[in-house]
Amino acid sequence: IPPDKYNDFIEANRIEDASERMRTLRKLIRDLPGHYYETLKFLVGHLKTIADHSEKNKMEPRNLALVFGPTLVRTSEDNMTDM
């Protein structure tokens, strides 16, 4: 996620209504620059494949989020406290 979009994604994730949150997140993802969008699309597809085999590899979506979340969504200041 581009650093300049960090706050937009964080704010979208704070939306209480689940359908509105998903609508907003989808729009933010669609509005990413092409190379960011295509990279994210590929990576999410790969992570889904990993999660589909979680009974063997123990990497459920929650575990994947813990491992990859800080790498994918980081502040422009790259401050671990803020992350």
Side-chain angles (χ1 to χ4, degrees), residues 13-71:
N13 195 50
R14 290 182 178 150
I15 297 172
E16 289 194 30
D17 179 62
S19 59
E20 179 63 25
R21 181 173 55 244
M22 286 306 297
R23 239 186 328 273
T24 303
L25 286 168
R26 283 185 178 128
K27 181 183 180 339
L28 287 169
I29 290 168
R30 278 193 310 270
D31 291 346
L32 288 171
H35 56 287
Y36 280 94
Y37 176 84
E38 291 300 326
T39 302
L40 184 62
K41 181 179 169 183
F42 180 85
L43 181 59
V44 169
H46 179 65
L47 293 175
K48 182 187 180 315
T49 300
I50 294 169
D52 287 345
H53 295 92
S54 64
E55 68 282 349
K56 293 179 185 174
N57 62 32
K58 309 297 184 220
M59 291 303 288
E60 298 170 347
R62 178 169 164 54
N63 294 339
L64 292 167
L66 289 170
V67 172
F68 286 93
T71 302

